[in-house]
Amino acid sequence: RTVKLIDACLAAPRCDSITWWGVNDGASWLNWFLAPGLAPLLFDDTLAPKPAYHAAKERLLAGR
């Protein structure tokens, strides 16, 4: 999903930023509000980058 979001932004001429609401899964409101274990962000509870982080980084660098 992250790469699809980035691709959509890169394809839109006026898109100049992407915002993730939160830093790590341990502090995400989605885990207690919608579903425990959802883990929607780019970093895990210990602030270690997840595969989605690496995919986002690679795609953004490739889309320059």
Side-chain angles (χ1 to χ4, degrees), residues 10-63:
L10 292 172
R14 297 190 62 168
C15 181
D16 62 3
S17 66
I18 299 171
T19 301
W20 279 269
W21 290 89
V23 176
N24 71 327
D25 292 334
S28 174
W29 65 275
L30 291 172
N31 284 329
W32 59 265
F33 185 73
L34 292 179
L38 189 59
L41 299 172
L42 300 179
F43 297 89
D44 69 13
D45 298 5
T46 66
L47 295 176
K50 297 182 346 188
Y53 166 83
H54 298 291
K57 179 181 172 184
E58 288 175 21
R59 186 63 192 101
L60 287 168
L61 290 172

